[in-house]
Amino acid sequence: MEGSLATVKILDAQPNERYHLYRTSFSSNSFEKIATTTSSQFSDTEVDPSAGSYCYYVKTENSCGQISDASNSVCTIYLKGRGRTLQWNSPFPGHSNLIQYKVSKIDAPPTDVSDWQYAERFTLPNQSKSNDTYRVTASITIEVNGQVVTTELYSSLYELIDLPGIYPPDVFTPNNDNINDTWVISSYLIQTFQLKLFDRSGVEIFTSDSLSNSWNGLLPDGSQAPNQIYTYVINATDFFNENWQQTGKVLLLK
């Protein structure tokens, strides 16, 4: 995969050879011939790799007209996500244990968000934001004509959309003026919620298992909490059944 195109590269190409290319889509197991070329590189402009994975194999025809058996198949890497969890397919079916992957956020330049790994799955960190775009790089070392060659392939792009979030205010003022009197935490796509709030000594002073149960600035004994900075720990589950933990501080100011 090169950019937004599915590109087949023939690493062991020789002069005076012709290449017969065959393709199958992610929704079919039937390969069909799509092209014959003398070039060692072919870009398939008739497919959209962002819609799913496409697999290819090649038959080589030499100068005498003899056609080889089909090569091993190679597939475009289709990157998909569910919340912060990314998943993708192996570009070389049956050889997954030889391939390493890393996940990068597409910036200028791209920023790696994972180390090299063998798993075809990765959970993005909590700092990930909606509209962040990611790509997976696959690296495999193979032997070509007696030489060891390391080659890299790139996945389709994945953009985070509708990412769950938790939004605690930084300050609130419980002074009974009916303005910002309670610490109301808002959220998006959150299914379960648990909050623990601590004073500066580390004493737990408030808990809640519902976003509708907001802190009104009172201590457990019913007295007014003093002006100070309080710390919180939020554990939540989103609608993708992924766990979130968020920590921070809130200033009570009367």
Side-chain angles (χ1 to χ4, degrees), residues 108-132:
T111 303
D112 294 340
V113 297
S114 79
D115 296 326
W116 288 104
Q117 62 175 51
Y118 289 98
E120 296 163 8
R121 178 186 177 100
F122 180 73
T123 300
L124 296 168
N126 285 347
Q127 304 93 297
S128 302
K129 300 187 288 275
S130 295
N131 301 318
D132 284 350

Side-chain angles (χ1 to χ4, degrees), residues 185-230:
I185 299 174
S186 59
S187 71
Y188 182 61
L189 294 178
I190 292 299
Q191 183 171 217
T192 66
F193 171 88
Q194 184 182 65
L195 163 73
K196 292 185 178 182
L197 189 68
F198 305 88
D199 65 16
R200 63 176 56 170
S201 300
V203 176
E204 184 179 299
I205 60 169
F206 179 76
T207 62
S208 175
D209 59 5
S210 172
L211 284 159
S212 61
N213 182 21
S214 304
W215 187 40
N216 57 6
L218 297 180
L219 296 173
D221 62 5
S223 63
Q224 292 285 339
N227 289 359
Q228 62 176 256
I229 294 175
Y230 297 84

Side-chain angles (χ1 to χ4, degrees), residues 153-252:
L153 301 92
Y154 302 99
S155 74
S156 56
L157 302 181
Y158 173 73
E159 180 181 352
L160 282 179
I161 300 174
D162 286 339
L163 189 68
I166 304 168
Y167 311 104
D170 296 327
V171 62
F172 80 113
T173 55
N175 55 10
N176 296 318
D177 64 354
N178 295 319
I179 301 175
N180 202 28
D181 281 336
T182 56
W183 187 45
V184 179
I185 299 174
S186 59
S187 71
Y188 182 61
L189 294 178
I190 292 299
Q191 183 171 217
T192 66
F193 171 88
Q194 184 182 65
L195 163 73
K196 292 185 178 182
L197 189 68
F198 305 88
D199 65 16
R200 63 176 56 170
S201 300
V203 176
E204 184 179 299
I205 60 169
F206 179 76
T207 62
S208 175
D209 59 5
S210 172
L211 284 159
S212 61
N213 182 21
S214 304
W215 187 40
N216 57 6
L218 297 180
L219 296 173
D221 62 5
S223 63
Q224 292 285 339
N227 289 359
Q228 62 176 256
I229 294 175
Y230 297 84
T231 60
Y232 61 82
V233 177
I234 296 172
N235 286 285
T237 303
D238 61 29
F239 281 92
F240 303 107
N241 292 318
E242 293 178 350
N243 296 321
W244 290 67
Q245 184 176 85
Q246 187 165 324
T247 61
K249 298 179 180 180
V250 56
L251 172 63
L252 186 154

Side-chain angles (χ1 to χ4, degrees), residues 65-112:
Q66 296 173 317
I67 300 177
S68 70
D69 293 334
S71 67
N72 292 327
S73 62
V74 59
C75 305
T76 61
I77 305 172
Y78 174 49
L79 176 60
K80 60 183 179 180
R82 195 163 185 258
R84 292 183 297 118
T85 299
L86 304 183
Q87 291 180 282
W88 56 91
N89 61 284
S90 168
F92 296 98
H95 296 84
S96 296
N97 60 323
L98 302 177
I99 308 169
Q100 294 190 81
Y101 305 94
K102 69 177 177 180
V103 180
S104 302
K105 186 171 75 167
I106 303 304
D107 278 325
T111 303
D112 294 340

